[in-house]
Amino acid sequence: MKQTASSHNYHHGDLYQSLLLTATEMIAEGGTEGLSMRKLADRVGVSRTAPYHHFKDKNALLCAIAEQGFQRVEALLQEVQARESSEPLATIFTQYVHTYIELAYKYREQYDLMFGRDIWRNGTPTESLLNRSKQHFKSWLNWIEYLCEQKVIQSGDSVLRTAQVHWATLHGLCRLLNDGIYTEQSQLNEMANTAVDMMLKRHKTD
């Protein structure tokens, strides 16, 4: 027997998370074009007005999905930084680059929302998303500054410019994979290693 909206006993936070999770699954299956507030309500099994209690409109929903993506990469950054006392910084940075690319591909539709035109050019980013994205770049900038101070990262310019260029390189690798330009993981792994070698400060030996 199919469940109806009245048969669900969602708590406020539970429904929010259920809507967000289901919407993320729907864009992974059919892109943002296949997502609508009506379809989302039907799939979750709630009234068609229920999603609007949590998200003003589809743009707000997409922003929430993108924000969750920033939370994921922020968690990755914090995770690798927690290992700094036990592993070489160059090794940690290399692992970070590879894991970031893997996450970007695994959640590629969400990654597109984090940095794509659906929100930043065609839509309107929410204040919450703006704050979350700025906070993540600030965390990245602080880490790059620390790696420069530790003479791990090659820097011939300001820390800000170095952080921007290294992030752009990393983002470019993600786009090449997500857009299907390079479909073989081995190629991306080799390219990532080459990019890391260019970023890292290699000490000359006699």
Coordinates of all heavy atoms in Angstrom, one line a residue, residues 99-149:
T99 N 41.8 12.9 -3.1 CA 40.5 12.7 -2.5 C 39.5 13.8 -2.9 O 38.3 13.4 -3.1 CB 40.6 12.7 -0.9 OG1 41.6 11.7 -0.6 CG2 39.3 12.3 -0.3
Y100 N 39.9 15.0 -3.0 CA 39.0 16.1 -3.5 C 38.5 15.8 -4.9 O 37.3 15.9 -5.1 CB 39.8 17.4 -3.5 CG 39.0 18.6 -3.8 CD1 38.5 19.4 -2.8 CD2 38.7 18.9 -5.1 CE1 37.7 20.5 -3.1 CE2 37.9 20.0 -5.5 CZ 37.4 20.8 -4.4 OH 36.6 21.9 -4.7
I101 N 39.3 15.3 -5.8 CA 38.9 15.0 -7.1 C 37.9 13.8 -7.1 O 36.9 13.8 -7.8 CB 40.1 14.6 -8.0 CG1 41.0 15.9 -8.2 CG2 39.7 14.1 -9.4 CD1 42.3 15.6 -8.9
E102 N 38.2 12.8 -6.3 CA 37.3 11.7 -6.1 C 35.9 12.1 -5.6 O 34.9 11.6 -6.2 CB 37.9 10.6 -5.2 CG 39.1 9.9 -5.8 CD 39.8 9.1 -4.7 OE1 39.3 9.0 -3.6 OE2 40.9 8.5 -5.0
L103 N 35.9 13.0 -4.7 CA 34.6 13.5 -4.1 C 33.9 14.3 -5.2 O 32.6 14.2 -5.3 CB 34.8 14.3 -2.9 CG 35.2 13.5 -1.6 CD1 35.5 14.5 -0.5 CD2 34.1 12.6 -1.2
A104 N 34.6 15.1 -5.9 CA 34.0 16.0 -6.9 C 33.3 15.1 -8.0 O 32.2 15.5 -8.5 CB 35.0 16.9 -7.5
Y105 N 33.9 13.9 -8.3 CA 33.3 13.1 -9.3 C 32.2 12.2 -8.7 O 31.1 12.1 -9.4 CB 34.4 12.1 -9.8 CG 33.9 11.2 -10.9 CD1 33.5 11.7 -12.2 CD2 33.7 9.8 -10.7 CE1 33.1 10.9 -13.2 CE2 33.2 9.0 -11.7 CZ 32.9 9.5 -12.9 OH 32.4 8.7 -13.9
K106 N 32.3 11.8 -7.5 CA 31.3 11.0 -6.9 C 30.0 11.8 -6.7 O 28.9 11.2 -6.9 CB 31.8 10.5 -5.5 CG 30.8 9.6 -4.8 CD 31.3 9.1 -3.5 CE 30.3 8.2 -2.8 NZ 30.8 7.7 -1.5
Y107 N 30.1 13.0 -6.4 CA 29.0 13.9 -6.2 C 29.0 15.0 -7.3 O 28.9 16.2 -7.0 CB 29.0 14.6 -4.8 CG 29.0 13.5 -3.7 CD1 30.2 13.2 -3.1 CD2 27.9 12.9 -3.3 CE1 30.3 12.3 -2.0 CE2 27.9 12.0 -2.2 CZ 29.1 11.7 -1.6 OH 29.1 10.7 -0.6
R108 N 29.2 14.6 -8.5 CA 29.4 15.6 -9.6 C 28.3 16.5 -9.9 O 28.5 17.7 -10.2 CB 29.9 14.9 -10.9 CG 29.0 13.7 -11.4 CD 29.8 13.0 -12.5 NE 29.1 11.8 -12.9 CZ 29.2 10.6 -12.3 NH1 29.9 10.5 -11.2 NH2 28.5 9.5 -12.7
E109 N 27.0 16.1 -9.7 CA 25.9 17.0 -9.9 C 25.9 18.1 -8.8 O 25.6 19.3 -9.1 CB 24.6 16.3 -10.0 CG 24.4 15.3 -11.2 CD 24.4 16.0 -12.5 OE1 24.1 17.2 -12.5 OE2 24.7 15.4 -13.5
Q110 N 26.2 17.6 -7.6 CA 26.3 18.6 -6.5 C 27.5 19.5 -6.7 O 27.4 20.7 -6.4 CB 26.4 17.8 -5.2 CG 26.4 18.7 -4.0 CD 26.5 17.9 -2.7 OE1 27.4 17.1 -2.5 NE2 25.5 18.1 -1.8
Y111 N 28.6 19.0 -7.2 CA 29.8 19.8 -7.4 C 29.5 20.9 -8.5 O 29.9 22.0 -8.4 CB 30.9 18.9 -7.9 CG 32.3 19.6 -8.0 CD1 33.0 19.8 -6.8 CD2 32.7 20.1 -9.2 CE1 34.3 20.5 -6.9 CE2 34.0 20.8 -9.2 CZ 34.7 21.0 -8.1 OH 35.9 21.6 -8.1
D112 N 28.7 20.5 -9.5 CA 28.3 21.5 -10.5 C 27.5 22.7 -9.9 O 27.6 23.8 -10.3 CB 27.4 20.8 -11.6 CG 28.2 20.0 -12.5 OD1 29.5 20.1 -12.5 OD2 27.6 19.2 -13.3
L113 N 26.7 22.3 -8.9 CA 25.9 23.4 -8.2 C 26.8 24.3 -7.4 O 26.6 25.5 -7.3 CB 24.8 22.7 -7.3 CG 23.6 22.2 -8.0 CD1 22.7 21.5 -6.9 CD2 22.9 23.2 -8.8
M114 N 27.8 23.7 -6.7 CA 28.7 24.4 -5.9 C 29.4 25.5 -6.6 O 29.7 26.6 -6.1 CB 29.7 23.5 -5.2 CG 29.2 22.5 -4.2 SD 30.3 21.2 -3.8 CE 31.7 22.1 -3.0
F115 N 29.7 25.3 -7.9 CA 30.6 26.2 -8.7 C 30.0 26.6 -10.0 O 30.6 27.3 -10.8 CB 32.0 25.6 -8.9 CG 32.7 25.3 -7.6 CD1 32.9 24.0 -7.2 CD2 33.1 26.3 -6.8 CE1 33.5 23.7 -6.1 CE2 33.8 26.0 -5.6 CZ 34.0 24.7 -5.2
G116 N 28.8 26.1 -10.3 CA 28.2 26.3 -11.7 C 27.3 27.4 -11.8 O 26.9 28.1 -10.9
R117 N 26.8 27.6 -13.1 CA 26.0 28.8 -13.4 C 24.5 28.6 -12.9 O 23.8 29.7 -12.9 CB 26.0 28.9 -14.9 CG 25.3 27.8 -15.7 CD 25.3 28.1 -17.2 NE 26.7 28.1 -17.7 CZ 27.1 28.6 -18.9 NH1 26.1 29.0 -19.7 NH2 28.3 28.5 -19.3
D118 N 24.1 27.4 -12.6 CA 22.7 27.3 -12.1 C 22.4 28.2 -10.9 O 21.3 28.7 -10.8 CB 22.4 25.8 -11.7 CG 22.2 24.9 -12.8 OD1 21.7 25.4 -13.9 OD2 22.4 23.7 -12.7
I119 N 23.4 28.4 -10.1 CA 23.2 29.3 -8.9 C 24.0 30.6 -9.1 O 23.4 31.7 -9.0 CB 23.8 28.6 -7.7 CG1 22.9 27.4 -7.3 CG2 23.9 29.6 -6.5 CD1 23.4 26.6 -6.1
W120 N 25.2 30.5 -9.5 CA 26.1 31.7 -9.5 C 25.8 32.7 -10.6 O 26.0 33.9 -10.5 CB 27.5 31.3 -9.4 CG 27.8 30.5 -8.2 CD1 28.0 29.2 -8.1 CD2 27.9 31.0 -6.9 NE1 28.2 28.8 -6.8 CE2 28.2 29.9 -6.0 CE3 27.9 32.3 -6.3 CZ2 28.4 30.0 -4.7 CZ3 28.0 32.4 -4.9 CH2 28.3 31.3 -4.1
R121 N 25.3 32.2 -11.8 CA 25.0 33.1 -12.9 C 23.5 33.2 -13.1 O 23.0 34.3 -13.3 CB 25.7 32.6 -14.2 CG 25.5 33.5 -15.4 CD 26.2 33.0 -16.6 NE 27.6 33.0 -16.5 CZ 28.5 32.6 -17.4 NH1 28.0 32.1 -18.5 NH2 29.8 32.6 -17.2
N122 N 22.8 32.1 -13.2 CA 21.4 32.1 -13.5 C 20.5 32.2 -12.3 O 19.3 32.6 -12.4 CB 21.1 30.8 -14.3 CG 21.8 30.7 -15.6 OD1 22.3 31.6 -16.1 ND2 22.0 29.4 -16.1
G123 N 21.0 31.9 -11.1 CA 20.2 32.0 -9.9 C 20.7 33.1 -9.0 O 21.4 34.0 -9.4
T124 N 20.3 32.9 -7.7 CA 20.7 33.9 -6.7 C 21.2 33.1 -5.5 O 20.4 32.4 -4.8 CB 19.6 34.8 -6.3 OG1 19.1 35.5 -7.5 CG2 20.0 35.8 -5.3
P125 N 22.5 33.1 -5.2 CA 23.0 32.3 -4.0 C 22.4 32.9 -2.8 O 22.3 34.1 -2.6 CB 24.5 32.5 -4.1 CG 24.7 33.8 -4.9 CD 23.6 33.8 -5.9
T126 N 21.9 32.0 -1.9 CA 21.4 32.5 -0.6 C 22.6 33.0 0.3 O 23.7 32.7 0.0 CB 20.7 31.3 0.2 OG1 21.7 30.3 0.4 CG2 19.6 30.8 -0.7
E127 N 22.2 33.8 1.3 CA 23.2 34.3 2.2 C 24.0 33.2 2.9 O 25.2 33.3 3.1 CB 22.6 35.2 3.2 CG 23.6 35.9 4.1 CD 22.9 36.9 5.1 OE1 21.7 37.1 4.9 OE2 23.6 37.4 6.0
S128 N 23.2 32.1 3.2 CA 23.8 31.0 3.9 C 24.9 30.3 3.0 O 26.0 30.0 3.5 CB 22.8 30.0 4.3 OG 23.3 28.9 5.0
L129 N 24.6 30.2 1.7 CA 25.5 29.6 0.8 C 26.7 30.5 0.6 O 27.9 30.0 0.6 CB 24.8 29.3 -0.5 CG 25.8 28.8 -1.7 CD1 26.5 27.5 -1.2 CD2 25.0 28.6 -2.9
L130 N 26.5 31.8 0.5 CA 27.6 32.7 0.3 C 28.5 32.6 1.5 O 29.8 32.6 1.3 CB 27.1 34.1 0.2 CG 26.4 34.6 -1.1 CD1 25.7 35.9 -1.0 CD2 27.5 34.6 -2.2
N131 N 28.0 32.6 2.7 CA 28.8 32.5 3.9 C 29.6 31.2 4.0 O 30.8 31.2 4.3 CB 28.0 32.7 5.2 CG 27.4 34.1 5.3 OD1 28.0 35.0 4.8 ND2 26.3 34.2 6.0
R132 N 28.9 30.1 3.6 CA 29.6 28.8 3.6 C 30.7 28.7 2.6 O 31.8 28.2 2.9 CB 28.5 27.7 3.4 CG 29.1 26.3 3.3 CD 29.6 25.8 4.7 NE 28.5 25.7 5.6 CZ 28.6 25.2 6.8 NH1 29.8 24.9 7.3 NH2 27.6 25.2 7.6
S133 N 30.5 29.2 1.4 CA 31.5 29.1 0.4 C 32.7 30.0 0.7 O 33.9 29.7 0.5 CB 30.9 29.5 -1.0 OG 30.5 30.9 -1.0
K134 N 32.4 31.2 1.3 CA 33.5 32.1 1.7 C 34.3 31.5 2.8 O 35.5 31.7 2.9 CB 32.9 33.5 2.1 CG 32.4 34.3 0.9 CD 31.8 35.6 1.4 CE 31.2 36.4 0.3 NZ 30.6 37.7 0.7
Q135 N 33.6 30.9 3.8 CA 34.3 30.3 4.9 C 35.2 29.2 4.4 O 36.3 29.0 4.9 CB 33.3 29.7 5.9 CG 33.9 29.0 7.1 CD 34.9 29.9 7.8 OE1 34.6 31.1 8.2 NE2 36.1 29.4 8.1
H136 N 34.8 28.4 3.4 CA 35.6 27.3 3.0 C 36.9 27.8 2.3 O 38.0 27.3 2.5 CB 34.9 26.4 2.0 CG 35.7 25.3 1.5 ND1 36.3 24.3 2.3 CD2 36.2 25.0 0.2 CE1 37.0 23.5 1.5 NE2 37.0 23.9 0.3
F137 N 36.7 28.9 1.4 CA 37.9 29.4 0.8 C 38.8 30.0 1.8 O 40.0 29.9 1.6 CB 37.5 30.5 -0.3 CG 38.7 31.0 -1.0 CD1 39.3 30.2 -2.0 CD2 39.3 32.2 -0.7 CE1 40.4 30.6 -2.7 CE2 40.4 32.6 -1.4 CZ 41.0 31.8 -2.4
K138 N 38.3 30.6 2.8 CA 39.1 31.2 3.9 C 39.9 30.0 4.6 O 41.1 30.2 4.8 CB 38.3 31.9 4.9 CG 39.1 32.5 6.0 CD 38.2 33.3 7.0 CE 39.0 33.9 8.1 NZ 38.2 34.6 9.1
S139 N 39.3 28.9 4.8 CA 40.0 27.7 5.4 C 41.1 27.3 4.4 O 42.2 26.9 4.9 CB 39.0 26.6 5.6 OG 38.0 27.0 6.6
W140 N 40.8 27.2 3.1 CA 41.8 26.8 2.1 C 42.9 27.8 2.1 O 44.1 27.4 2.1 CB 41.1 26.7 0.8 CG 42.0 26.6 -0.4 CD1 42.3 27.7 -1.3 CD2 42.7 25.5 -0.9 NE1 43.1 27.2 -2.3 CE2 43.4 25.9 -2.1 CE3 42.8 24.2 -0.5 CZ2 44.2 25.0 -2.8 CZ3 43.6 23.3 -1.2 CH2 44.3 23.7 -2.3
L141 N 42.6 29.1 2.1 CA 43.6 30.1 2.1 C 44.5 30.0 3.3 O 45.8 30.1 3.2 CB 43.0 31.5 2.1 CG 43.9 32.7 2.2 CD1 44.8 32.8 1.0 CD2 43.0 34.0 2.2
N142 N 44.0 29.8 4.5 CA 44.8 29.7 5.7 C 45.7 28.4 5.6 O 46.8 28.5 6.1 CB 43.8 29.5 6.9 CG 43.1 30.8 7.2 OD1 43.5 31.9 6.8 ND2 42.0 30.7 8.0
W143 N 45.2 27.4 5.0 CA 46.0 26.1 4.9 C 47.2 26.4 4.0 O 48.3 26.0 4.2 CB 45.2 25.0 4.5 CG 45.8 23.6 4.7 CD1 46.6 23.3 5.7 CD2 45.8 22.5 3.8 NE1 47.1 22.0 5.6 CE2 46.6 21.5 4.4 CE3 45.2 22.3 2.6 CZ2 46.8 20.2 3.8 CZ3 45.4 21.0 2.0 CH2 46.1 20.0 2.5
I144 N 46.9 27.0 2.8 CA 47.9 27.3 1.8 C 49.0 28.2 2.5 O 50.2 28.0 2.2 CB 47.3 27.9 0.6 CG1 46.4 26.9 -0.2 CG2 48.4 28.4 -0.3 CD1 47.2 25.7 -0.7
E145 N 48.5 29.2 3.2 CA 49.5 30.1 3.9 C 50.4 29.3 4.8 O 51.6 29.5 4.9 CB 48.7 31.2 4.7 CG 49.6 32.2 5.4 CD 48.8 33.3 6.1 OE1 47.7 33.1 6.4 OE2 49.4 34.3 6.3
Y146 N 49.8 28.4 5.6 CA 50.6 27.6 6.5 C 51.6 26.7 5.7 O 52.8 26.6 6.1 CB 49.7 26.7 7.3 CG 50.4 25.7 8.2 CD1 51.1 26.0 9.3 CD2 50.3 24.3 7.8 CE1 51.8 25.1 10.1 CE2 51.0 23.4 8.6 CZ 51.7 23.8 9.7 OH 52.4 22.8 10.5
L147 N 51.1 26.1 4.6 CA 52.0 25.3 3.8 C 53.1 26.1 3.2 O 54.3 25.6 3.0 CB 51.2 24.5 2.7 CG 50.2 23.5 3.2 CD1 49.4 22.9 2.1 CD2 50.9 22.4 4.0
C148 N 52.8 27.3 2.8 CA 53.9 28.2 2.3 C 54.9 28.5 3.4 O 56.1 28.5 3.1 CB 53.3 29.5 1.7 SG 52.4 29.3 0.2
E149 N 54.4 28.8 4.6 CA 55.3 29.1 5.7 C 56.2 27.9 6.0 O 57.4 28.1 6.4 CB 54.5 29.5 6.9 CG 53.7 30.8 6.8 CD 52.8 31.1 8.0 OE1 52.6 30.1 8.8 OE2 52.3 32.2 8.1

